[in-house]
Amino acid sequence: MSKRPSFSTVMLWLGLIFIYLPMIILVIYSFNASRLVTVWGGWSVHWYVGLLDNTQLMNSVKRSLQIAFFTATAAVALGTLAAFVMTRIKRFRGRTLFSGLVTAPLVMPEVITGLSLLLLFVAMAQLVGWPAERGMVTIWIAHVTFCTAYVAVVVSGRLGELDQSVEEAAMDLGARPWKTFLLITVPMIAPSIAAGWLLSFTLSLDDLVLASFVSGPGSTTLPMEVFSAVRLGVKPEINAVASLILLAVSVFTLIGWLIARSAEKRRSQPPAEEEAITWQAVIDSRRN
Amino acid sequence: MKMPRLTPPGRFWVISVPYLWLFLFFLLPFAIVLKISFSEAAIAIPPYQPIFQYVEQKLNVALNLGNYIFLSQDGLYLSAYLGSLKIAFFSTLICLLLGYPMAYAIARAPKEKQLVYLLLVMMPTWTAILIRVYAWMGILSNNGLLNSVLMGLGLISEPLQILNTNTAVYIGVVYAYLPFMVLPLYANLVKHDHSLLEAAMDLGAGKIKAFWSITVPLSKTGIIAGSMLVFIPVVGEFVIPELLGGPETLMIGKVLWQEFFNNRDWPVASALAIVMLVILIVPLALFHYNQAKEMEKKS
């Protein structure tokens, strides 16, 4: 039906090629049989085979996964609360500061956040004796702080477009605020909470700068491991590790997207709307 | 009907839990950085001298301005700040020029496709930035893919030196931050009312004129949000200049890192961070003001 693709469509495709081509090339070269990264020597998987025996690498993978899991869980709890405060509680002391604190970690250069957190931990160790040594807990705290901002933005977007009448109805019918929140609000925003969890998980898995600042000896994460190897140049083993990370994260992202999409579909189906209308009628009749 | 409210004690807890966390682990640390930037480096654990000392019922406060004077006198730091600002500025500009048409195309696509395009643009930002920058190392190096292709086509006779130059840094930064420009622009452009454009065209404006006088001004908040999401983090960027840049690349994030990890001079690193924050206060405030305005419009 259309004749010539518009300028913006061409740009979109060029942009997408620009975004994906380097990653595709990386994955292809991870299957290169040649030791030389630039010379193609046929297909081979032998760079992948050795990875499992690399205990140092495997340990850092395990550590990173643990930190990412606990980070995502805590960031979802804190971020959802923060989003709730920003969208539902319009007036309280220090609201401006609060919303500034929630969004600032999104843009703050990581070297500044990393340095300042490390100095905090050192000062705390001097004052109260905790944390005695830096490691997984300090990395977890740093990641939670950073990921909470992302969760808050994702969740508050959803909370903002939510029909509040159902919450109001539950409260009118005598539900306590906490009960209303857990039984009404949380199920309605569940997809964005799931998306926030997955986003935090991958962000934590990916972080190099914060972890480098606040980690101690013996708590090297996967990105730190990869970074020190990458600094020495391009190597086929790293191509293999990098490809696996790309694969893992893509799978997570896809799952997150599928969850969000199925929720979207469920919402836009007519029965759901009818149901909402019926509920509205019930609420109205109760009020009179 | 009035919106049901949380009871005061519940309200207090809901607000204070995230507030306390962010205060303790985000705001307070800056105060400590500020404090340490005024102390002197020392061979100790931790490697700086205390500012406050309470000796013989006297509180001695020793504010050492030496770090800041040192920063202003050594040309290296000044060039690093200017280098960061320059790279951040031009990268933001390139991202805007590339990202605007992309966001526009997504916003104009059918609803079903929009989600797919958005996912395609956003997915890389959720994946390791380190890995994606590393991918460029293999492409841009002297015997890398780009040079092989160019030489194979006969366009150049000897490899171009791209890796370890500022050009590589620009490529890496634009590559890594382009999605952060596209997303807020899309969020803005998708809300536009098409009838305004039609009206402008009915009144005789050309396609381009209508675009410039309607679409661009309406997308101002999106442009500001996107530009700040790119500009601010790029100023402090460390990974990209470290892996793709060369000796000519002077960026403040890299200098801070070296000062901290290689020279172990915590006070100078802190002073560098404070000056960086002062430089970023205007863009940060602009970003925050812009966000608040957007939020207000929504509610």
Side-chain angles (χ1 to χ4, degrees), chain B residues 229-240:
Chain B
L229 274 178
V230 176
F231 183 84
I232 300 168
V234 172
V235 168
E237 183 57 49
F238 163 72
V239 175
I240 298 170

Side-chain angles (χ1 to χ4, degrees), chain B residues 152-203:
Chain B
L153 291 172
L155 289 172
I156 51 171
S157 53
E158 55 184 81
L160 291 174
Q161 168 76 33
I162 305 175
L163 189 65
N164 303 330
T165 66
N166 277 351
T167 312
V169 176
Y170 277 116
I171 294 174
V173 168
V174 170
Y175 175 72
Y177 286 90
L178 184 60
F180 293 103
M181 181 64 87
V182 175
L183 192 69
L185 279 176
Y186 160 79
N188 180 289
L189 286 170
V190 78
K191 285 182 297 194
H192 286 192
D193 187 352
H194 287 216
S195 57
L196 285 174
L197 273 182
E198 280 160 27
M201 300 225 260
D202 281 353
L203 294 171

Side-chain angles (χ1 to χ4, degrees), chain A residues 65 197-198 201-202 205 247-257, chain B residues 126:
Chain A
L65 286 174
W197 194 91
L198 285 163
F201 189 84
T202 54
L205 215 53
L247 176 76
V249 177
S250 311
V251 168
F252 273 120
T253 315
L254 208 63
I255 295 171
W257 179 67
Chain B
W126 297 14

Side-chain angles (χ1 to χ4, degrees), chain A residues 8 18-20 25 29 38 89 91 94 107 112 116 118 145 164 177 199 206 212 223 231 234-235 239 242 249, chain B residues 3 6 11 19 21 29-30 33 101 105 120 123-124 126-131 134 143 145 175 229 242 257 260:
Chain A
S8 58
F18 175 58
I19 288 172
Y20 282 94
I25 292 170
Y29 269 81
T38 49
I89 305 178
R91 266 184 202 87
V107 283
I112 299 187
S116 61
L118 170 71
T145 308
Q164 287 184 28
L199 179 58
D206 175 32
S212 299
R231 265 179 156 171
V234 182
K235 270 180 284 179
N239 280 346
V249 177
Chain B
M3 162 86 188
L6 285 173
R11 228 173 93 107
Y19 213 150
W21 181 286
F30 291 127
V33 176
L120 282 174
M123 197 155 85
W126 297 14
T127 69
I129 181 173
L130 175 62
I131 306 271
Y134 164 74
N143 47 10
L145 199 68
Y175 175 72
L229 274 178
E242 173 71 19
W257 181 283
F260 185 84

Side-chain angles (χ1 to χ4, degrees), chain A residues 1-235:
Chain A
M1 49 174 214
S2 73
K3 354 95 211 154
R4 207 159 51 91
S6 68
F7 168 71
S8 58
T9 312
V10 173
M11 286 297 287
L12 176 62
W13 283 105
L14 287 179
L16 287 175
I17 291 169
F18 175 58
I19 288 172
Y20 282 94
L21 200 58
M23 291 191 263
I24 294 166
I25 292 170
L26 175 78
V27 175
I28 292 174
Y29 269 81
S30 73
F31 290 105
N32 189 356
S34 163
R35 169 100 239 154
L36 293 165
V37 188
T38 49
V39 181
W40 184 255
W43 297 88
S44 157
V45 291
H46 71 264
W47 304 118
Y48 288 90
V49 176
L51 290 180
L52 283 172
D53 299 327
N54 188 337
T55 29
Q56 201 187 340
L57 189 75
M58 282 300 129
N59 280 338
S60 62
V61 169
K62 217 174 90 192
R63 205 173 287 125
S64 281
L65 286 174
Q66 279 173 333
I67 296 174
F69 178 82
F70 289 115
T71 295
T73 309
V76 157
L78 274 176
T80 308
L81 275 185
F84 187 82
V85 172
M86 289 207 300
T87 51
R88 293 289 193 273
I89 305 178
K90 292 295 173 203
R91 266 184 202 87
F92 62 90
R93 269 173 159 237
R95 189 177 196 281
T96 323
L97 178 67
F98 183 82
S99 63
L101 279 180
V102 170
T103 48
L106 290 177
V107 283
M108 189 61 69
E110 281 182 311
V111 283
I112 299 187
T113 321
L115 176 72
S116 61
L117 266 170
L118 170 71
L119 297 180
L120 172 82
F121 290 139
V122 171
M124 278 170 71
Q126 275 181 305
L127 277 177
V128 295
W130 185 91
E133 58 180 25
R134 293 184 293 280
M136 287 178 64
V137 175
T138 48
I139 299 176
W140 173 75
I141 291 175
H143 285 183
V144 171
T145 308
F146 167 76
C147 292
T148 294
Y150 279 89
V151 176
V153 168
V154 171
V155 173
S156 68
R158 183 80 190 89
L159 273 174
E161 65 192 32
L162 217 58
D163 181 5
Q164 287 184 28
S165 59
V166 188
E167 287 168 52
E168 286 169 26
M171 301 240 247
D172 278 357
L173 296 172
R176 307 287 310 146
W178 265 112
K179 202 168 178 188
T180 310
F181 179 72
L182 289 178
L183 293 180
I184 309 284
T185 316
V186 169
M188 286 203 285
I189 57 172
S192 56
I193 290 181
W197 194 91
L198 285 163
L199 179 58
S200 305
F201 189 84
T202 54
L203 285 170
S204 164
L205 215 53
D206 175 32
D207 166 69
L208 164 77
V209 176
L210 288 182
S212 299
F213 272 102
V214 299
S215 72
S219 57
T220 315
T221 61
L222 180 62
M224 291 163 72
E225 199 78 51
V226 172
F227 181 65
S228 59
V230 162
R231 265 179 156 171
L232 303 172
V234 182
K235 270 180 284 179

